[in-house]
Coordinates of all heavy atoms in Angstrom, one line a residue:
E280 N -24.2 -0.4 11.7 CA -24.8 0.0 12.9 C -24.3 1.5 13.3 O -25.2 2.4 13.5 CB -24.8 -1.0 14.0 CG -25.7 -0.4 15.2 CD -25.4 -1.3 16.4 OE1 -24.5 -2.2 16.4 OE2 -26.3 -1.1 17.3
L283 N -25.7 4.0 10.7 CA -27.1 4.1 10.9 C -27.5 4.9 12.0 O -28.4 5.7 12.0 CB -27.8 2.7 10.9 CG -29.4 2.7 10.9 CD1 -29.9 3.6 9.7 CD2 -29.8 1.2 10.9
L287 N -29.6 8.6 12.2 CA -30.8 8.7 12.9 C -30.6 9.8 14.0 O -31.7 10.4 14.3 CB -31.2 7.3 13.7 CG -31.6 6.3 12.7 CD1 -31.8 4.9 13.4 CD2 -32.8 6.6 12.1
L310 N -38.7 5.0 8.9 CA -38.3 5.0 10.3 C -38.9 3.9 11.1 O -38.4 3.2 12.0 CB -38.6 6.3 10.9 CG -37.7 7.5 10.3 CD1 -38.2 8.8 10.9 CD2 -36.2 7.3 10.6
Y311 N -40.2 3.7 10.8 CA -40.9 2.6 11.6 C -40.4 1.2 11.3 O -40.5 0.4 12.2 CB -42.5 2.7 11.1 CG -43.4 2.0 12.1 CD1 -43.6 2.5 13.4 CD2 -43.9 0.8 11.8 CE1 -44.6 1.9 14.2 CE2 -44.7 0.1 12.7 CZ -45.1 0.7 13.9 OH -45.9 -0.1 14.8
S312 N -39.9 1.0 10.2 CA -39.4 -0.4 9.8 C -38.1 -0.7 10.8 O -37.8 -1.8 10.9 CB -38.9 -0.3 8.3 OG -37.8 0.5 8.1
F313 N -37.5 0.3 11.3 CA -36.3 0.1 12.2 C -36.7 0.0 13.6 O -35.9 -0.3 14.5 CB -35.5 1.3 12.2 CG -34.7 1.3 10.9 CD1 -34.9 2.3 9.9 CD2 -33.6 0.5 10.4 CE1 -34.2 2.5 8.7 CE2 -32.9 0.5 9.2 CZ -33.3 1.5 8.3
T314 N -38.0 0.0 14.0 CA -38.5 -0.1 15.4 C -38.9 -1.4 15.8 O -39.1 -1.5 17.1 CB -39.7 1.0 15.5 OG1 -40.7 0.4 14.7 CG2 -39.3 2.3 15.2
S315 N -38.9 -2.3 15.1 CA -39.3 -3.7 15.5 C -38.2 -4.7 15.2 O -37.5 -4.7 14.2 CB -40.5 -4.2 14.5 OG -41.5 -3.3 14.8
P316 N -38.0 -5.6 16.1 CA -37.0 -6.6 16.0 C -37.3 -7.6 14.9 O -38.5 -7.7 14.6 CB -36.8 -7.2 17.4 CG -38.2 -7.1 18.0 CD -38.7 -5.7 17.5
G317 N -36.4 -8.3 14.5 CA -36.7 -9.4 13.5 C -36.6 -9.0 12.0 O -36.2 -7.7 11.8
G318 N -37.0 -9.7 11.2 CA -36.9 -9.4 9.8 C -37.8 -8.3 9.2 O -38.9 -8.1 10.0
P319 N -37.6 -7.6 8.1 CA -36.4 -8.0 7.3 C -35.1 -7.2 7.7 O -34.1 -7.4 7.2 CB -36.8 -7.5 5.9 CG -37.8 -6.5 6.2 CD -38.4 -6.8 7.4
M320 N -35.3 -6.1 8.7 CA -34.2 -5.3 8.9 C -33.3 -6.0 10.0 O -32.1 -5.8 10.0 CB -34.7 -3.9 9.4 CG -35.4 -3.2 8.4 SD -34.3 -2.7 7.0 CE -35.4 -1.8 6.0
Y321 N -33.9 -6.6 11.0 CA -33.1 -7.1 12.1 C -32.3 -6.1 12.8 O -31.1 -6.1 13.0 CB -32.2 -8.3 11.8 CG -32.9 -9.6 11.3 CD1 -33.1 -9.7 9.9 CD2 -33.5 -10.4 12.2 CE1 -33.7 -10.9 9.4 CE2 -34.1 -11.5 11.8 CZ -34.4 -11.6 10.4 OH -35.1 -12.9 10.0
P322 N -33.0 -5.0 13.2 CA -32.3 -3.8 13.8 C -31.9 -4.3 15.3 O -32.5 -5.0 15.9 CB -33.2 -2.6 13.8 CG -34.6 -3.3 13.7 CD -34.4 -4.5 13.0
T323 N -30.7 -3.7 15.8 CA -30.4 -3.8 17.1 C -31.3 -3.0 18.1 O -31.9 -2.1 17.6 CB -28.9 -3.5 17.3 OG1 -28.7 -2.2 17.0 CG2 -28.1 -4.3 16.4
R324 N -31.0 -3.2 19.3 CA -31.8 -2.5 20.4 C -31.6 -0.9 20.3 O -32.4 0.0 20.4 CB -31.6 -3.0 21.7 CG -32.4 -2.4 22.8 CD -32.3 -3.0 24.1 NE -33.1 -2.5 25.1 CZ -32.8 -1.5 26.0 NH1 -31.6 -1.1 25.9 NH2 -33.7 -0.9 26.8
A325 N -30.2 -0.7 20.0 CA -29.8 0.8 20.0 C -30.5 1.4 18.7 O -30.9 2.4 18.8 CB -28.2 0.8 19.8
V326 N -30.5 0.7 17.6 CA -31.1 1.2 16.4 C -32.6 1.5 16.7 O -33.1 2.5 16.2 CB -30.8 0.3 15.2 CG1 -31.6 0.6 14.1 CG2 -29.3 0.3 14.9
R327 N -33.3 0.5 17.2 CA -34.6 0.6 17.5 C -35.0 1.9 18.3 O -36.0 2.6 18.1 CB -35.2 -0.6 18.2 CG -35.1 -1.9 17.3 CD -36.0 -3.1 17.8 NE -35.8 -3.3 19.2 CZ -34.9 -4.3 19.6 NH1 -34.2 -5.1 18.7 NH2 -34.8 -4.6 20.9
H328 N -34.2 2.0 19.3 CA -34.6 3.3 20.1 C -34.2 4.5 19.4 O -35.0 5.4 19.6 CB -33.7 3.1 21.5 CG -34.3 2.2 22.5 ND1 -34.8 2.6 23.6 CD2 -34.2 0.9 22.5 CE1 -35.5 1.6 24.3 NE2 -34.9 0.5 23.6
A330 N -34.5 5.0 16.3 CA -35.5 5.1 15.3 C -36.8 5.7 15.9 O -37.5 6.5 15.5 CB -35.8 3.9 14.6
Y359 N -39.5 -13.0 22.3 CA -38.9 -11.6 22.6 C -39.2 -11.1 24.0 O -38.7 -10.2 24.5 CB -39.4 -10.5 21.6 CG -38.9 -10.7 20.2 CD1 -39.8 -10.7 19.2 CD2 -37.6 -10.8 20.0 CE1 -39.5 -10.9 17.9 CE2 -37.1 -10.9 18.7 CZ -38.1 -11.0 17.7 OH -37.6 -11.1 16.4

Side-chain angles (χ1 to χ4, degrees):
E280 182 184 12
L283 182 55
L287 293 173
L310 293 174
Y311 195 76
S312 66
F313 291 107
T314 61
S315 301
M320 293 295 182
Y321 295 97
T323 62
R324 186 170 183 269
V326 171
R327 295 198 302 270
H328 280 259
Y359 290 127

